């Protein structure tokens, strides 16, 4: 009689790609799941989900999904998902290094090209903002300032296309423009 509960459990788990992760053939869902796995410290599983998403997006030929996967890889490498945390090498940490930041920037740049091509301006704005963060962390002030300007332009395009769109802002920031102005001030960007 123990066989039935074990088979039932196996059937339930077969529908999941990992414990706590619902199986999906949508690469954007897998990217979201990868971000959650990374937040939980499940770096290896996050990378697996991103790789699965990449295979699906490539097979489907959907460039917007591919851009989402690139953005996901960018976040993965930005946040230290270089594999060091997976291997737990002595004397090495899972924090992002210059190499991780370079990989992240490369993936964000690839995502930006596709988001711009397909006029997905809200995601384009986000990717440029993420690129600005990395440029700032690597002490490339000029690139950070340029990316913030590009983020603002893309946000204006997104708002023009969808005026009813709501942006979630940090407390104390009244508009996206104000947030960009504050970020540029903190970085020390030249006044326009």
């Amino acid at each position: 009689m123990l066989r039935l509960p074990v088979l039932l459990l196996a059937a339930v788990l077969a529908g999941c790609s990992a414990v706590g992760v619902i199986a999906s053939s949508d690469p954007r869902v897998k990217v979201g799941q990868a971000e959650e796995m990374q937040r939980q410290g499940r770096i290896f599983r996050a990378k697996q989900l991103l790789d699965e998403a990449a295979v699906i997006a490539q097979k489907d030929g959907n460039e917007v999904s591919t851009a989402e996967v690139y953005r996901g890889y960018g976040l993965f490498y930005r946040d230290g998902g270089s594999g060091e945390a997976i291997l737990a090498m002595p004397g090495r940490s899972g924090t992002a290094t210059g190499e991780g930041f370079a990989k992240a920037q490369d993936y964000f740049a690839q995502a930006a090209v596709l988001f711009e091509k397909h006029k997905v301006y809200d995601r384009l704005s986000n990717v440029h903002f993420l690129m600005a963060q990395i440029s700032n962390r690597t002490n490339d002030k000029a690139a950070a300032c340029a990316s913030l300007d590009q983020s603002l332009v893309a946000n204006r395009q997104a708002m023009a296309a969808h005026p009813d769109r709501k942006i979630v802002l940090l407390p104390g920031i009244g508009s996206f423009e104000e947030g960009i102005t504050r970020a540029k001030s903190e970085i020390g960007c030249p006044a326009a």
Side-chain angles (χ1 to χ4, degrees):
M1 292 311 245
L2 182 60
R3 189 184 260 172
L4 184 59
V6 170
L7 290 175
L8 182 59
L9 178 62
V12 169
L13 291 178
C16 300
S17 58
V19 176
V21 177
I22 305 295
S24 176
S25 61
D26 184 338
R28 292 169 296 182
V29 170
K30 286 192 176 288
V31 169
Q33 291 170 336
E35 289 176 25
E36 182 57 32
M37 291 293 104
Q38 194 164 353
R39 275 191 288 277
Q40 293 176 16
R42 297 173 65 188
I43 305 300
F44 183 73
R45 187 62 190 132
K47 179 70 165 59
Q48 284 181 320
L49 286 163
L50 287 170
D51 292 344
E52 290 170 15
V55 168
I56 295 167
Q58 183 178 23
K59 186 175 90 176
D60 293 347
N62 185 322
E63 289 186 330
V64 173
S65 292
T66 299
E68 289 290 349
V69 172
Y70 289 157
R71 182 184 169 279
Y73 276 122
L75 290 169
F76 180 79
Y77 287 108
R78 178 200 71 177
D79 295 337
S82 63
E84 294 175 0
I86 298 167
L87 300 175
M89 294 179 171
R92 300 183 89 175
S93 71
T95 59
T97 62
E99 182 181 328
F101 286 147
K103 282 183 177 183
Q105 286 291 56
D106 184 51
Y107 278 114
F108 289 146
Q110 291 179 69
V113 168
L114 294 176
F115 284 139
E116 186 164 20
K117 177 180 177 182
H118 293 281
K119 300 179 172 136
V120 184
Y121 296 120
D122 57 337
R123 290 309 240 178
L124 178 61
S125 177
N126 175 258
V127 167
H128 282 303
F129 190 83
L130 294 168
M131 291 172 76
Q133 289 177 330
I134 291 175
S135 294
N136 185 45
R137 289 172 71 180
T138 58
N139 298 314
D140 189 346
K141 183 167 68 170
C145 296
S147 290
L148 287 172
D149 287 337
Q150 292 170 317
S151 179
L152 183 58
V153 167
N155 179 264
R156 288 179 179 151
Q157 292 169 311
M159 294 306 292
H162 303 283
D164 57 332
R165 183 173 159 258
K166 302 290 183 216
I167 300 174
V168 178
L169 301 168
L170 294 174
I173 297 178
S175 68
F176 189 81
E177 289 80 3
E178 181 184 333
I180 293 292
T181 300
R182 187 177 296 182
K184 289 176 76 172
S185 174
E186 289 174 7
I187 291 172
C189 298

